[in-house]
Amino acid sequence: MSAVKQEDVKRPTAKFPPSVWGDQFLVYDQEEDQTGVEKVVEDLKEEVKKEILRALNIHAEHTNLLILVDAVERLGIDYYFEEDIKQVLQHFYDAYGDNWNGGATSVWFRIMRQHGFFVSSDIFKSYKDKDGAFKEPLKSDIEGLLELYEATYLRVPGEVILDEALAFTRGRLDDISKDPSLSNSMVSKQIQEALKQPLHKRVPRIEALRYIPFYQQQTSHNKSLLKLAKLGFTLLQSLHKKELCQIYKWWKSFNVPTNVPYARNRLVECYFWSLCVYFEPQYSQSRMFLAKFLAIETLLDDTYDAYGTFQELEIFTEAIKRWSVTGLDDLPESMKLIHRMLLDMYEDMEKILIKMGKAHHLNYSKEAMIEYIGSYLKEAEWANNSYIPTAEEHKEITIVSSGYQNTLIASFAAMGDVITDETFKWALTMPPLLKACCSLCRVMDDIVTHKEEQDRMHVVSGIQCYMREHDVSEQQAYDLLNEKVEEDWKEMNLESLRCKDVGRPVIMLVLNLARAMDVLYKNKDHFTHVGEELINHINSLLVDDAILIY
């Protein structure tokens, strides 16, 4: 390459929009004294814990306790009560098994399955009449319809009754939402939000922000719980702002927009992505590392997809495989910088892990990174040779190049004792739970990006492979692949109930990665073309003063 001037090299570049944020996140560096707030939070936590334990041993209070647990989770403060919630749900399972006899059956089913209890959907048979139709009273019970609708999204493959319940509730709720007498009402808004995105697919932190004002309007709301939710949100927002400021300074030191001008400058969006995966305070170091990791993954993606020549990419890939700073002389300065950023990021995390006695964990992440960039090189080879792979070949490589296996393994860094060597080994085998998540990620990404990517020299997309192999139109391919996304969700639900190799915190990471896709890649590539919807999410979580009037 040294014999060819860089400016003469023909590159498949894209014109990505610049960052919309400027340098505003450099100012979140003030130390705030939260001592008074933290004391109030501790007192409120104790008050709510006592309420939970008091109700646990009173059978008549179990429905109310279930509703309380649901509120705690939707308000985004379940991390304060993890052990208490675990105790409550184990007690419910031991006492009732599949035969819950309290109220709010749909809520019980959803909560139990969310926490790994594989309760039977046969309980919904009582919702049907002798002819197999859903009973008449349910058709006009808006709260019951909403609760059943949300419960159906915990279904697994083959649960026909829940497939039928989803079609029924979605149809009825859609009709009700168009009722002129309900227009602009809180009920109509609640229905429209549910139809747009069911609770099971919502990012917990965004749901907390949405649910707090809704909960406040409920006449039966628990005042202590509401106050705790508001204070907890504010405390975490302050922490999150500081984290973003810290990693933004790191990013700015490399001057990415100038030095890597062909790539997407999406550090802020990557921090938001990591916030989707885990928002809890104990994962602060992990979250900052994951944000950096996602930002560098984006630079790598754009380098392989939209900049490097095949010869350059071969040299670059070999350098990463060797984890070496040598052999880069013939590469453009931008690629040398990305290589340095990658090594710099891992060195920073190694210092943290040494203190935790877990430095060897980084080797697993390096292994996943090497496999990831290997899949990128294979795609670059296909594009370079104008090779059209079979759908199966395409899936085998692109499920790795989706980046979600690599991302999940990186997300484990510095999480503490919930992560062991066995956790990494499990993830590296691409187990069924993770495979379904990666498949969902790849399909959702392909659906919204394939047209733009084909405007430049790019490996064929899953859409094109599917159209060619099955002789279907583009729209038919979209429809079939959207169905595939729903099948992947069912598979993830099943595996999250069956998987015993890792604990719930790891399973939740996988589900939250899928939920992030539902925000960033649903109907549009919001990550590349950052518009009002994503800007509003980021502003509400990281810029605007919290909602919160105590």
Side-chain angles (χ1 to χ4, degrees):
M1 184 56 65
S2 54
V4 181
K5 291 181 181 177
Q6 285 294 331
E7 58 266 29
D8 294 336
V9 176
K10 188 174 186 301
R11 299 186 182 282
T13 51
K15 296 225 177 332
F16 295 122
S19 171
V20 301
W21 300 105
D23 286 339
Q24 63 177 295
F25 295 104
L26 287 174
V27 302
Y28 293 131
D29 215 10
Q30 304 89 346
E31 283 300 320
E32 301 168 50
D33 184 8
Q34 303 281 12
T35 312
V37 176
E38 288 167 354
K39 173 70 171 72
V40 175
V41 163
E42 287 305 313
D43 291 345
L44 288 167
K45 278 165 59 178
E46 284 309 308
E47 194 177 320
V48 173
K49 278 176 185 279
K50 285 176 185 172
E51 193 169 337
I52 290 171
L53 294 173
R54 180 193 61 78
L56 187 59
N57 296 313
I58 304 171
H59 175 80
E61 288 293 313
H62 283 180
T63 298
N64 289 334
L65 182 54
L66 176 73
I67 300 301
L68 180 66
V69 168
D70 187 37
V72 164
E73 298 202 327
R74 296 184 71 170
L75 290 167
I77 49 176
D78 44 320
Y79 63 96
Y80 287 143
F81 306 104
E82 281 181 12
E83 290 306 313
D84 307 279
I85 291 171
K86 197 183 292 184
Q87 185 182 350
V88 166
L89 299 183
Q90 188 63 55
H91 182 80
F92 284 175
Y93 191 69
D94 292 343
Y96 304 105
D98 289 334
N99 302 306
W100 173 255
N101 60 13
T105 299
S106 296
V107 178
W108 165 81
F109 178 84
R110 173 171 57 77
I111 293 285
M112 296 301 283
R113 283 215 173 173
Q114 280 172 195
H115 285 267
F117 293 94
F118 203 162
V119 292
S120 173
S121 55
D122 287 350
I123 198 162
F124 294 113
K125 287 180 179 176
S126 64
Y127 283 43
K128 289 185 164 188
D129 61 26
K130 63 180 187 304
D131 298 319
F134 285 94
K135 291 178 180 175
E136 201 63 34
L138 183 59
K139 293 180 181 178
S140 53
D141 176 5
I142 295 175
E143 186 178 357
L145 285 166
L146 274 168
E147 288 175 354
L148 178 56
Y149 168 81
E150 297 291 11
T152 64
Y153 279 93
L154 277 295
R155 69 201 194 282
V156 303
E159 284 193 303
V160 176
I161 193 164
L162 291 180
D163 290 333
E164 292 172 348
L166 175 58
F168 165 72
T169 53
R170 190 158 47 195
R172 281 298 300 138
L173 290 168
D174 189 46
D175 290 342
I176 292 166
S177 71
K178 294 169 184 169
D179 184 339
S181 67
L182 291 174
S183 63
N184 300 321
S185 69
M186 190 167 71
V187 169
S188 178
K189 185 183 177 190
Q190 190 183 4
I191 291 171
Q192 287 165 9
E193 286 176 344
L195 291 173
K196 182 182 177 186
Q197 187 179 49
L199 181 58
H200 189 50
K201 294 185 181 181
R202 290 181 192 168
V203 167
R205 189 72 174 155
I206 298 173
E207 171 60 7
L209 192 65
R210 188 202 69 82
Y211 193 68
I212 289 171
F214 175 80
Y215 184 71
Q216 185 165 344
Q217 291 177 48
Q218 308 303 302
T219 51
S220 59
H221 76 252
N222 181 312
K223 289 184 171 53
S224 297
L225 203 58
L226 180 64
K227 188 173 182 179
L228 180 58
K230 290 180 175 185
L231 289 170
F233 189 96
T234 306
L235 282 174
L236 272 183
Q237 187 184 55
S238 176
L239 173 65
H240 295 156
K241 286 179 177 183
K242 287 172 188 167
E243 290 173 0
L244 178 52
C245 175
Q246 191 174 325
I247 62 168
Y248 191 85
K249 286 177 178 175
W250 171 83
W251 184 253
K252 193 166 173 61
S253 71
F254 296 105
N255 197 4
V256 170
T258 301
N259 293 326
V260 195
Y262 60 83
R264 288 167 291 178
N265 177 18
R266 295 291 181 271
L267 189 275
V268 175
E269 291 77 10
C270 288
Y271 180 75
F272 169 81
W273 202 328
S274 74
L275 203 53
C276 293
V277 178
Y278 31 28
F279 64 86
E280 299 88 343
Q282 67 267 34
Y283 300 134
S284 179
Q285 292 288 359
S286 307
R287 189 162 44 245
M288 287 191 285
F289 175 72
L290 182 60
K292 292 179 182 181
F293 186 91
L294 287 163
I296 290 178
E297 253 191 345
T298 304
L299 299 185
L300 289 169
D301 186 10
D302 294 341
T303 299
Y304 279 84
D305 263 7
Y307 184 74
T309 66
F310 185 61
Q311 184 185 355
E312 288 169 348
L313 295 174
E314 285 185 305
I315 295 168
F316 188 69
T317 303
E318 279 307 309
I320 293 178
K321 284 182 176 177
R322 292 195 313 272
W323 220 261
S324 165
V325 295
T326 61
L328 300 170
D329 294 347
D330 290 342
L331 294 182
E333 291 304 314
S334 56
M335 292 173 74
K336 291 177 186 173
L337 177 67
I338 294 167
H339 186 269
R340 192 168 89 239
M341 291 173 74
L342 180 68
L343 268 55
D344 178 89
M345 175 186 71
Y346 275 96
E347 283 167 12
D348 286 349
M349 178 46 74
E350 188 172 27
K351 290 170 191 169
I352 293 165
L353 290 174
I354 285 170
K355 291 177 186 173
M356 299 174 70
K358 296 178 184 288
H360 68 287
H361 279 182
L362 219 49
N363 294 329
Y364 296 112
S365 185
K366 289 177 182 178
E367 184 180 337
M369 175 59 79
I370 288 167
E371 185 181 5
Y372 169 67
I373 55 115
S375 70
Y376 269 164
L377 188 66
K378 174 56 76 174
E379 288 186 358
E381 182 187 320
W382 286 346
N384 186 61
N385 298 333
S386 302
Y387 175 70
I388 299 176
T390 65
E392 199 52 44
E393 282 178 308
H394 187 273
K395 180 181 175 183
E396 186 181 337
I397 292 298
T398 58
I399 215 162
V400 178
S401 70
S402 73
Y404 255 21
Q405 181 188 36
N406 194 23
T407 301
L408 177 70
I409 290 168
S411 76
F412 296 161
M415 278 184 70
D417 292 338
V418 296
I419 303 299
T420 65
D421 288 60
E422 297 311 311
T423 316
F424 285 102
K425 290 172 185 174
W426 169 83
L428 283 165
T429 65
M430 189 65 88
L433 174 64
L434 180 53
K435 190 172 186 178
C437 183
C438 290
S439 169
L440 173 147
C441 169
R442 171 47 61 201
V443 171
M444 290 189 75
D445 184 293
D446 272 355
I447 287 170
V448 297
T449 64
H450 105 98
K451 281 188 177 176
E452 184 176 346
E453 288 176 345
Q454 297 316 310
D455 289 342
R456 60 184 189 271
M457 190 176 86
H458 191 279
V459 65
V460 293
S461 71
I463 303 279
Q464 289 170 299
C465 287
Y466 201 90
M467 288 167 62
R468 180 171 171 266
E469 198 149 305
H470 297 276
D471 193 23
V472 294
S473 70
E474 188 173 74
Q475 189 55 53
Q476 285 173 310
Y478 282 143
D479 293 341
L480 288 164
L481 289 170
N482 276 316
E483 286 177 23
K484 176 75 172 81
V485 170
E486 291 309 312
E487 291 304 313
D488 285 335
W489 268 107
K490 289 184 189 179
E491 197 63 35
M492 279 192 294
N493 290 340
L494 176 62
E495 292 302 327
S496 71
L497 292 164
R498 288 203 305 202
C499 179
K500 304 303 175 193
D501 298 319
V502 292
R504 293 308 293 175
V506 173
I507 290 169
M508 291 312 299
L509 292 183
V510 180
L511 293 176
N512 284 339
L513 281 166
R515 289 166 178 147
M517 289 300 296
D518 211 68
V519 173
L520 293 167
Y521 286 92
K522 189 174 183 178
N523 305 323
K524 174 191 165 184
D525 180 357
H526 298 275
F527 181 75
T528 299
H529 301 281
V530 181
E532 185 179 3
E533 188 174 328
L534 183 54
I535 289 170
N536 287 343
H537 283 321
I538 291 172
N539 278 333
S540 63
L541 294 181
L542 295 163
V543 178
D544 302 338
D545 286 334
I547 40 185
L548 309 169
I549 299 165
Y550 310 132

